[in-house]
Amino acid sequence: SITKTFTATAVMQLVEKGAVDLDGTVVRYLPWFRLEDQGRSDSITIRQLITMTSGIPQWPTSVTWFWPNETDGIEKHVRFLARIRSAAEPGARFLYSNSGYVVLAAIVERISGLSYAEYVSRNIFKPLSMDHSHTDRAEAERDGLAHGHRWWLGFPVPSAVYVSDSILPAGLLSASAEDMAHFLIAQINGGRYRGSVVLSARATAAMLDRSSPRRYGLGWEFSDVNGRTIVNFDGGNPDSQASVFFDPERNIGVFVAANVMSGLDAFSSHSGASAIDGPTT
């Protein structure tokens, strides 16, 4: 799910170019977009998708998880939402939603004329010298992707879990630890890594803004740790997981990943744990 921060970055790049209005409606850019209750879906904004206040529920992703990989998988995922009823009025409350980020990717594709994978590769991976980061699992495997595992009776067992590319923008990018360090440096350094700029300092600051008492901003979560605000995101697939967090005031960032996961692991954090207290990671 750390992929969502890349999807949000892609959207913010288009916002900076004036191609997307954060407070514009989704139907302004995707006229065919709708949920089952169209009255609600017509008023959903880009900002609400990014901040997960659109009302789109999480469960539709479980249906698309096993779809075959197709070049138009993202669009098919978004069109499938026409069968789904919203879970809340847009803007009313926080509801974590993978599908909301797939909608954002469809907007990126519509505005840029590129596939989501190509857009991220050209506009985020390349300028940040993320040379061991991939949008395609087969390419990642050829580049040494760690084999996933699942816990069974306390033992890690090699796993081969299939996940459809139709949810790529919500959680399927892969990257090396060094590449993630490049991404973190850009977040801490006003969108700049060495001589490249992926986002202006102003747009980067907007993504990290916590002016209201909320736990989720423009693509990042926030945790309060010992009186400090830590910016973070966690994620997991059935056989792997990762956490990323940084302190923008002290210029320190951390990325940690584990090639093992299971449902038991996901819910084993101790009571009262903060968002960055991981399961295994």
Side-chain angles (χ1 to χ4, degrees):
S1 285
I2 297 171
T3 295
K4 293 180 178 70
T5 65
F6 287 81
T7 302
T9 298
V11 173
M12 292 301 290
Q13 288 177 334
L14 296 176
V15 169
E16 278 206 293
K17 293 179 179 179
V20 170
D21 178 0
L22 263 182
D23 294 305
T25 60
V26 175
V27 291
R28 173 176 169 183
Y29 304 100
L30 300 176
W32 47 265
F33 168 75
R34 61 165 298 178
L35 302 178
E36 184 182 280
D37 39 347
Q38 190 171 359
R40 285 184 174 181
S41 58
D42 283 353
S43 64
I44 294 174
T45 67
I46 311 301
R47 187 186 299 274
Q48 289 166 349
L49 288 177
I50 297 180
T51 59
M52 301 215 191
T53 57
S54 68
I56 299 175
Q58 171 72 332
W59 74 266
T61 309
S62 62
V63 177
T64 62
W65 193 280
F66 301 105
W67 284 3
N69 288 329
E70 299 175 297
T71 55
D72 60 347
I74 289 175
E75 180 176 333
K76 285 185 176 179
H77 184 141
V78 177
R79 289 187 181 277
F80 173 75
L81 297 179
R83 308 178 189 182
I84 307 302
R85 193 165 188 81
S86 64
E89 286 283 351
R93 60 190 176 100
F94 176 88
L95 286 171
Y96 196 93
S97 175
N98 283 331
S99 292
Y101 269 70
V102 178
V103 177
L104 288 171
I107 293 171
V108 170
E109 292 187 333
R110 169 69 178 80
I111 299 300
S112 69
L114 302 172
S115 69
Y116 171 81
E118 185 64 24
Y119 183 92
V120 170
S121 296
R122 288 189 190 184
N123 296 283
I124 301 178
F125 288 169
K126 186 175 181 180
L128 293 181
S129 299
M130 298 180 69
D131 300 327
H132 297 285
S133 298
H134 303 278
T135 60
D136 179 77
R137 184 179 179 89
E139 289 182 1
E141 289 174 343
R142 289 192 291 270
D143 196 26
L145 179 70
H147 196 99
H149 293 70
R150 304 188 77 182
W151 292 115
W152 291 101
L153 301 176
F155 295 94
V157 177
S159 172
V161 177
Y162 174 82
V163 182
S164 171
D165 282 349
S166 66
I167 63 168
L168 174 66
L172 287 183
L173 297 181
S174 59
S176 68
E178 181 177 352
D179 281 7
M180 286 303 298
H182 298 181
F183 183 67
L184 275 173
I185 288 170
Q187 300 302 314
I188 293 172
N189 196 35
R192 181 181 296 273
Y193 173 73
R194 294 183 175 174
S196 298
V197 178
V198 291
L199 211 56
S200 72
R202 180 178 179 180
T204 304
M207 292 184 71
L208 307 183
D209 176 52
R210 199 188 182 185
S211 56
S212 61
R214 59 190 182 190
R215 55 168 282 215
Y216 199 94
L218 295 176
W220 287 101
E221 294 178 322
F222 303 101
S223 296
D224 296 314
V225 181
N226 298 329
R228 294 154 55 193
T229 295
I230 302 299
V231 184
N232 66 281
F233 218 108
D234 301 298
N237 287 330
D239 59 4
S240 60
Q241 58 187 284
S243 293
V244 60
F245 46 97
F246 62 96
D247 184 336
E249 293 186 2
R250 299 193 183 187
N251 294 341
I252 297 172
V254 175
F255 170 74
V256 57
N259 60 329
V260 63
M261 183 64 163
S262 75
L264 181 62
D265 189 36
F267 295 104
S268 63
S269 295
H270 63 275
S271 177
S274 75
I276 63 170
D277 281 332
T280 290
T281 52

Short mmCIF file of all heavy atoms in Angstrom, two decimals, residues 79-128:
data_model
loop_
_atom_site.label_atom_id
_atom_site.label_comp_id
_atom_site.label_asym_id
_atom_site.label_seq_id
_atom_site.Cartn_x
_atom_site.Cartn_y
_atom_site.Cartn_z
N ARG A 79 -14.72 0.91 -13.78
CA ARG A 79 -16.08 0.71 -14.31
C ARG A 79 -16.86 -0.30 -13.47
O ARG A 79 -18.09 -0.21 -13.37
CB ARG A 79 -16.00 0.25 -15.77
CG ARG A 79 -15.54 1.35 -16.73
CD ARG A 79 -15.65 0.93 -18.17
NE ARG A 79 -15.20 1.96 -19.09
CZ ARG A 79 -15.94 2.98 -19.53
NH1 ARG A 79 -17.20 3.10 -19.13
NH2 ARG A 79 -15.43 3.85 -20.39
N PHE A 80 -16.18 -1.24 -12.85
CA PHE A 80 -16.84 -2.21 -11.97
C PHE A 80 -17.51 -1.53 -10.78
O PHE A 80 -18.50 -2.04 -10.24
CB PHE A 80 -15.79 -3.23 -11.48
CG PHE A 80 -16.30 -4.19 -10.45
CD1 PHE A 80 -17.13 -5.25 -10.81
CD2 PHE A 80 -15.95 -4.06 -9.11
CE1 PHE A 80 -17.60 -6.14 -9.85
CE2 PHE A 80 -16.42 -4.95 -8.15
CZ PHE A 80 -17.24 -5.99 -8.52
N LEU A 81 -16.99 -0.37 -10.39
CA LEU A 81 -17.55 0.33 -9.23
C LEU A 81 -18.98 0.80 -9.46
O LEU A 81 -19.67 1.15 -8.51
CB LEU A 81 -16.66 1.53 -8.88
CG LEU A 81 -15.22 1.20 -8.44
CD1 LEU A 81 -14.46 2.48 -8.13
CD2 LEU A 81 -15.23 0.27 -7.23
N ALA A 82 -19.44 0.78 -10.70
CA ALA A 82 -20.84 1.15 -10.98
C ALA A 82 -21.81 0.18 -10.31
O ALA A 82 -22.99 0.50 -10.14
CB ALA A 82 -21.08 1.18 -12.48
N ARG A 83 -21.30 -0.97 -9.90
CA ARG A 83 -22.14 -1.96 -9.20
C ARG A 83 -22.08 -1.79 -7.68
O ARG A 83 -22.78 -2.51 -6.95
CB ARG A 83 -21.68 -3.37 -9.54
CG ARG A 83 -21.54 -3.67 -11.02
CD ARG A 83 -21.03 -5.08 -11.23
NE ARG A 83 -20.67 -5.34 -12.61
CZ ARG A 83 -20.23 -6.51 -13.07
NH1 ARG A 83 -20.11 -7.53 -12.22
NH2 ARG A 83 -19.91 -6.67 -14.33
N ILE A 84 -21.24 -0.88 -7.23
CA ILE A 84 -20.96 -0.76 -5.79
C ILE A 84 -21.66 0.46 -5.20
O ILE A 84 -21.57 1.56 -5.77
CB ILE A 84 -19.44 -0.66 -5.55
CG1 ILE A 84 -18.70 -1.81 -6.23
CG2 ILE A 84 -19.16 -0.61 -4.05
CD1 ILE A 84 -19.16 -3.19 -5.79
N ARG A 85 -22.30 0.26 -4.09
CA ARG A 85 -22.96 1.37 -3.40
C ARG A 85 -21.98 2.02 -2.43
O ARG A 85 -21.23 1.34 -1.75
CB ARG A 85 -24.19 0.86 -2.64
CG ARG A 85 -25.11 1.98 -2.16
CD ARG A 85 -26.46 1.42 -1.75
NE ARG A 85 -27.40 2.50 -1.48
CZ ARG A 85 -28.08 3.16 -2.40
NH1 ARG A 85 -27.93 2.84 -3.67
NH2 ARG A 85 -28.91 4.14 -2.07
N SER A 86 -21.96 3.33 -2.39
CA SER A 86 -21.05 4.04 -1.49
C SER A 86 -21.41 3.74 -0.04
O SER A 86 -22.55 3.43 0.29
CB SER A 86 -21.09 5.54 -1.74
OG SER A 86 -22.36 6.06 -1.44
N ALA A 87 -20.40 3.87 0.83
CA ALA A 87 -20.60 3.55 2.24
C ALA A 87 -20.81 4.80 3.09
O ALA A 87 -21.10 4.69 4.28
CB ALA A 87 -19.39 2.78 2.77
N ALA A 88 -20.65 5.98 2.48
CA ALA A 88 -20.83 7.24 3.22
C ALA A 88 -20.93 8.39 2.24
O ALA A 88 -20.49 8.28 1.08
CB ALA A 88 -19.66 7.47 4.17
N GLU A 89 -21.49 9.48 2.68
CA GLU A 89 -21.53 10.70 1.87
C GLU A 89 -20.09 11.16 1.59
O GLU A 89 -19.24 11.11 2.50
CB GLU A 89 -22.28 11.82 2.58
CG GLU A 89 -23.79 11.64 2.61
CD GLU A 89 -24.43 12.00 1.28
OE1 GLU A 89 -23.73 12.54 0.40
OE2 GLU A 89 -25.63 11.73 1.13
N PRO A 90 -19.78 11.59 0.38
CA PRO A 90 -18.44 12.10 0.10
C PRO A 90 -18.05 13.20 1.07
O PRO A 90 -18.80 14.14 1.31
CB PRO A 90 -18.57 12.64 -1.34
CG PRO A 90 -19.67 11.82 -1.94
CD PRO A 90 -20.65 11.59 -0.81
N GLY A 91 -16.86 13.04 1.66
CA GLY A 91 -16.34 14.03 2.60
C GLY A 91 -16.78 13.85 4.03
O GLY A 91 -16.31 14.56 4.93
N ALA A 92 -17.69 12.88 4.28
CA ALA A 92 -18.26 12.74 5.62
C ALA A 92 -17.30 12.09 6.61
O ALA A 92 -17.21 12.52 7.76
CB ALA A 92 -19.56 11.93 5.56
N ARG A 93 -16.58 11.07 6.17
CA ARG A 93 -15.68 10.39 7.11
C ARG A 93 -14.61 9.61 6.37
O ARG A 93 -14.71 9.36 5.17
CB ARG A 93 -16.47 9.45 8.02
CG ARG A 93 -17.25 8.35 7.33
CD ARG A 93 -18.18 7.66 8.33
NE ARG A 93 -19.02 6.65 7.71
CZ ARG A 93 -18.77 5.33 7.74
NH1 ARG A 93 -17.68 4.89 8.36
NH2 ARG A 93 -19.59 4.48 7.17
N PHE A 94 -13.59 9.21 7.11
CA PHE A 94 -12.47 8.45 6.57
C PHE A 94 -12.87 7.00 6.36
O PHE A 94 -13.40 6.35 7.27
CB PHE A 94 -11.27 8.53 7.52
CG PHE A 94 -10.09 7.70 7.08
CD1 PHE A 94 -9.15 8.24 6.23
CD2 PHE A 94 -9.94 6.40 7.54
CE1 PHE A 94 -8.05 7.48 5.82
CE2 PHE A 94 -8.85 5.63 7.14
CZ PHE A 94 -7.91 6.18 6.28
N LEU A 95 -12.64 6.48 5.15
CA LEU A 95 -12.86 5.07 4.85
C LEU A 95 -11.72 4.60 3.96
O LEU A 95 -11.61 5.03 2.81
CB LEU A 95 -14.20 4.86 4.12
CG LEU A 95 -15.49 4.98 4.93
CD1 LEU A 95 -16.68 4.95 3.98
CD2 LEU A 95 -15.58 3.84 5.94
N TYR A 96 -10.87 3.75 4.49
CA TYR A 96 -9.74 3.26 3.69
C TYR A 96 -10.25 2.57 2.44
O TYR A 96 -11.16 1.74 2.51
CB TYR A 96 -8.90 2.29 4.52
CG TYR A 96 -7.52 2.04 3.94
CD1 TYR A 96 -6.43 2.79 4.35
CD2 TYR A 96 -7.33 1.06 2.97
CE1 TYR A 96 -5.17 2.58 3.82
CE2 TYR A 96 -6.08 0.84 2.42
CZ TYR A 96 -5.00 1.59 2.85
OH TYR A 96 -3.74 1.38 2.31
N SER A 97 -9.67 2.90 1.29
CA SER A 97 -10.19 2.36 0.04
C SER A 97 -9.09 2.19 -1.00
O SER A 97 -8.53 3.17 -1.49
CB SER A 97 -11.29 3.26 -0.53
OG SER A 97 -11.72 2.81 -1.80
N ASN A 98 -8.78 0.94 -1.33
CA ASN A 98 -7.87 0.68 -2.44
C ASN A 98 -8.47 1.17 -3.76
O ASN A 98 -7.78 1.75 -4.60
CB ASN A 98 -7.59 -0.83 -2.54
CG ASN A 98 -6.62 -1.32 -1.49
OD1 ASN A 98 -5.76 -0.58 -1.03
ND2 ASN A 98 -6.76 -2.57 -1.10
N SER A 99 -9.76 0.92 -3.93
CA SER A 99 -10.41 1.26 -5.20
C SER A 99 -10.36 2.76 -5.48
O SER A 99 -10.26 3.18 -6.63
CB SER A 99 -11.86 0.78 -5.20
OG SER A 99 -11.92 -0.64 -5.21
N GLY A 100 -10.41 3.58 -4.42
CA GLY A 100 -10.31 5.02 -4.61
C GLY A 100 -9.01 5.42 -5.28
O GLY A 100 -8.97 6.34 -6.11
N TYR A 101 -7.93 4.72 -4.95
CA TYR A 101 -6.63 5.02 -5.55
C TYR A 101 -6.52 4.47 -6.96
O TYR A 101 -5.76 5.00 -7.78
CB TYR A 101 -5.50 4.53 -4.64
CG TYR A 101 -5.08 5.62 -3.68
CD1 TYR A 101 -5.91 6.03 -2.64
CD2 TYR A 101 -3.88 6.30 -3.85
CE1 TYR A 101 -5.56 7.06 -1.79
CE2 TYR A 101 -3.51 7.34 -3.00
CZ TYR A 101 -4.35 7.71 -1.98
OH TYR A 101 -4.00 8.75 -1.16
N VAL A 102 -7.28 3.44 -7.27
CA VAL A 102 -7.34 2.97 -8.67
C VAL A 102 -8.06 4.01 -9.52
O VAL A 102 -7.67 4.27 -10.67
CB VAL A 102 -8.04 1.61 -8.75
CG1 VAL A 102 -8.13 1.14 -10.21
CG2 VAL A 102 -7.28 0.56 -7.93
N VAL A 103 -9.08 4.66 -8.96
CA VAL A 103 -9.75 5.75 -9.67
C VAL A 103 -8.77 6.88 -9.95
O VAL A 103 -8.74 7.45 -11.05
CB VAL A 103 -10.96 6.27 -8.86
CG1 VAL A 103 -11.61 7.45 -9.59
CG2 VAL A 103 -11.99 5.17 -8.65
N LEU A 104 -7.94 7.21 -8.97
CA LEU A 104 -6.93 8.26 -9.18
C LEU A 104 -6.00 7.88 -10.33
O LEU A 104 -5.63 8.73 -11.15
CB LEU A 104 -6.11 8.46 -7.90
CG LEU A 104 -6.81 9.15 -6.73
CD1 LEU A 104 -5.96 9.08 -5.48
CD2 LEU A 104 -7.13 10.62 -7.07
N ALA A 105 -5.60 6.62 -10.39
CA ALA A 105 -4.72 6.18 -11.47
C ALA A 105 -5.40 6.29 -12.82
O ALA A 105 -4.76 6.63 -13.83
CB ALA A 105 -4.28 4.74 -11.22
N ALA A 106 -6.70 6.01 -12.87
CA ALA A 106 -7.44 6.15 -14.14
C ALA A 106 -7.43 7.60 -14.59
O ALA A 106 -7.35 7.89 -15.80
CB ALA A 106 -8.87 5.65 -13.96
N ILE A 107 -7.48 8.53 -13.64
CA ILE A 107 -7.41 9.96 -13.99
C ILE A 107 -6.02 10.31 -14.50
O ILE A 107 -5.88 11.05 -15.48
CB ILE A 107 -7.78 10.81 -12.76
CG1 ILE A 107 -9.25 10.61 -12.42
CG2 ILE A 107 -7.49 12.29 -13.01
CD1 ILE A 107 -9.67 11.22 -11.10
N VAL A 108 -4.98 9.76 -13.86
CA VAL A 108 -3.61 9.97 -14.34
C VAL A 108 -3.48 9.48 -15.78
O VAL A 108 -2.89 10.17 -16.63
CB VAL A 108 -2.60 9.23 -13.43
CG1 VAL A 108 -1.20 9.24 -14.06
CG2 VAL A 108 -2.55 9.89 -12.05
N GLU A 109 -4.04 8.33 -16.08
CA GLU A 109 -3.97 7.79 -17.44
C GLU A 109 -4.73 8.68 -18.42
O GLU A 109 -4.24 8.96 -19.52
CB GLU A 109 -4.54 6.36 -17.46
CG GLU A 109 -3.69 5.36 -16.71
CD GLU A 109 -4.15 3.92 -16.88
OE1 GLU A 109 -5.37 3.72 -17.14
OE2 GLU A 109 -3.31 3.00 -16.77
N ARG A 110 -5.90 9.12 -18.02
CA ARG A 110 -6.73 9.95 -18.90
C ARG A 110 -6.06 11.28 -19.22
O ARG A 110 -6.06 11.74 -20.37
CB ARG A 110 -8.09 10.19 -18.22
CG ARG A 110 -8.97 11.24 -18.86
CD ARG A 110 -9.51 10.80 -20.20
NE ARG A 110 -10.39 11.80 -20.77
CZ ARG A 110 -10.00 12.90 -21.40
NH1 ARG A 110 -8.70 13.14 -21.55
NH2 ARG A 110 -10.89 13.74 -21.89
N ILE A 111 -5.47 11.92 -18.21
CA ILE A 111 -4.87 13.24 -18.41
C ILE A 111 -3.51 13.16 -19.10
O ILE A 111 -3.20 13.98 -19.97
CB ILE A 111 -4.72 13.97 -17.06
CG1 ILE A 111 -6.09 14.18 -16.41
CG2 ILE A 111 -4.00 15.31 -17.24
CD1 ILE A 111 -7.05 14.99 -17.22
N SER A 112 -2.69 12.18 -18.73
CA SER A 112 -1.32 12.11 -19.26
C SER A 112 -1.23 11.41 -20.61
O SER A 112 -0.28 11.63 -21.37
CB SER A 112 -0.42 11.37 -18.27
OG SER A 112 -0.75 9.99 -18.20
N GLY A 113 -2.22 10.56 -20.93
CA GLY A 113 -2.15 9.79 -22.17
C GLY A 113 -1.21 8.59 -22.06
O GLY A 113 -0.96 7.91 -23.06
N LEU A 114 -0.72 8.32 -20.86
CA LEU A 114 0.17 7.20 -20.61
C LEU A 114 -0.53 6.19 -19.71
O LEU A 114 -1.45 6.54 -18.97
CB LEU A 114 1.46 7.66 -19.92
CG LEU A 114 2.31 8.71 -20.62
CD1 LEU A 114 3.43 9.18 -19.68
CD2 LEU A 114 2.90 8.15 -21.91
N SER A 115 -0.09 4.96 -19.76
CA SER A 115 -0.58 4.00 -18.77
C SER A 115 -0.04 4.42 -17.41
O SER A 115 0.98 5.13 -17.31
CB SER A 115 -0.10 2.59 -19.10
OG SER A 115 1.31 2.48 -18.89
N TYR A 116 -0.71 4.01 -16.36
CA TYR A 116 -0.23 4.34 -15.01
C TYR A 116 1.20 3.86 -14.82
O TYR A 116 2.05 4.58 -14.29
CB TYR A 116 -1.14 3.69 -13.96
CG TYR A 116 -0.60 3.80 -12.55
CD1 TYR A 116 -0.76 4.97 -11.81
CD2 TYR A 116 0.08 2.73 -11.97
CE1 TYR A 116 -0.25 5.08 -10.52
CE2 TYR A 116 0.59 2.83 -10.68
CZ TYR A 116 0.42 4.00 -9.96
OH TYR A 116 0.94 4.11 -8.68
N ALA A 117 1.49 2.63 -15.26
CA ALA A 117 2.83 2.07 -15.11
C ALA A 117 3.87 2.93 -15.81
O ALA A 117 4.94 3.22 -15.26
CB ALA A 117 2.85 0.64 -15.64
N GLU A 118 3.57 3.33 -17.04
CA GLU A 118 4.53 4.14 -17.80
C GLU A 118 4.69 5.51 -17.16
O GLU A 118 5.81 6.05 -17.10
CB GLU A 118 4.05 4.27 -19.24
CG GLU A 118 5.04 5.00 -20.16
CD GLU A 118 6.36 4.24 -20.34
OE1 GLU A 118 6.37 3.01 -20.16
OE2 GLU A 118 7.37 4.89 -20.65
N TYR A 119 3.60 6.09 -16.67
CA TYR A 119 3.69 7.41 -16.05
C TYR A 119 4.60 7.39 -14.83
O TYR A 119 5.49 8.24 -14.68
CB TYR A 119 2.31 7.93 -15.65
CG TYR A 119 2.38 9.33 -15.09
CD1 TYR A 119 2.21 10.44 -15.92
CD2 TYR A 119 2.67 9.55 -13.75
CE1 TYR A 119 2.33 11.73 -15.42
CE2 TYR A 119 2.80 10.84 -13.24
CZ TYR A 119 2.63 11.92 -14.08
OH TYR A 119 2.77 13.20 -13.58
N VAL A 120 4.39 6.42 -13.96
CA VAL A 120 5.21 6.33 -12.74
C VAL A 120 6.68 6.07 -13.09
O VAL A 120 7.58 6.67 -12.50
CB VAL A 120 4.67 5.22 -11.81
CG1 VAL A 120 5.65 4.94 -10.67
CG2 VAL A 120 3.32 5.63 -11.24
N SER A 121 6.92 5.20 -14.06
CA SER A 121 8.29 4.90 -14.45
C SER A 121 9.00 6.13 -14.99
O SER A 121 10.16 6.40 -14.64
CB SER A 121 8.30 3.80 -15.51
OG SER A 121 7.79 2.59 -14.99
N ARG A 122 8.32 6.92 -15.82
CA ARG A 122 8.94 8.10 -16.44
C ARG A 122 9.07 9.27 -15.48
O ARG A 122 10.09 9.98 -15.48
CB ARG A 122 8.11 8.57 -17.64
CG ARG A 122 8.17 7.69 -18.85
CD ARG A 122 7.47 8.41 -20.01
NE ARG A 122 7.28 7.56 -21.16
CZ ARG A 122 6.75 7.98 -22.32
NH1 ARG A 122 6.35 9.25 -22.43
NH2 ARG A 122 6.61 7.15 -23.33
N ASN A 123 8.06 9.48 -14.66
CA ASN A 123 7.98 10.73 -13.91
C ASN A 123 8.34 10.63 -12.43
O ASN A 123 8.47 11.65 -11.76
CB ASN A 123 6.57 11.31 -14.04
CG ASN A 123 6.23 11.70 -15.46
OD1 ASN A 123 6.68 12.74 -15.95
ND2 ASN A 123 5.47 10.87 -16.14
N ILE A 124 8.49 9.41 -11.93
CA ILE A 124 8.91 9.25 -10.53
C ILE A 124 10.16 8.36 -10.43
O ILE A 124 11.19 8.79 -9.91
CB ILE A 124 7.77 8.68 -9.67
CG1 ILE A 124 6.55 9.60 -9.73
CG2 ILE A 124 8.24 8.52 -8.22
CD1 ILE A 124 5.35 9.10 -8.94
N PHE A 125 10.09 7.15 -10.96
CA PHE A 125 11.24 6.26 -10.87
C PHE A 125 12.49 6.85 -11.54
O PHE A 125 13.57 6.88 -10.94
CB PHE A 125 10.93 4.91 -11.52
CG PHE A 125 9.98 4.04 -10.75
CD1 PHE A 125 9.43 2.90 -11.33
CD2 PHE A 125 9.62 4.34 -9.44
CE1 PHE A 125 8.56 2.08 -10.63
CE2 PHE A 125 8.74 3.54 -8.72
CZ PHE A 125 8.21 2.40 -9.33
N LYS A 126 12.35 7.30 -12.78
CA LYS A 126 13.51 7.76 -13.53
C LYS A 126 14.19 8.99 -12.91
O LYS A 126 15.40 8.97 -12.68
CB LYS A 126 13.13 8.04 -14.99
CG LYS A 126 14.34 8.39 -15.86
CD LYS A 126 13.95 8.53 -17.32
CE LYS A 126 15.18 8.86 -18.18
NZ LYS A 126 14.80 9.00 -19.62
N PRO A 127 13.46 10.06 -12.62
CA PRO A 127 14.15 11.23 -12.03
C PRO A 127 14.73 10.98 -10.65
O PRO A 127 15.69 11.65 -10.25
CB PRO A 127 13.05 12.30 -11.99
CG PRO A 127 11.76 11.57 -12.08
CD PRO A 127 12.05 10.36 -12.90
N LEU A 128 14.20 10.01 -9.92
CA LEU A 128 14.72 9.69 -8.60
C LEU A 128 15.78 8.59 -8.64
O LEU A 128 16.22 8.11 -7.60
CB LEU A 128 13.58 9.27 -7.66
CG LEU A 128 12.56 10.35 -7.30
CD1 LEU A 128 11.51 9.80 -6.35
CD2 LEU A 128 13.25 11.56 -6.68
#
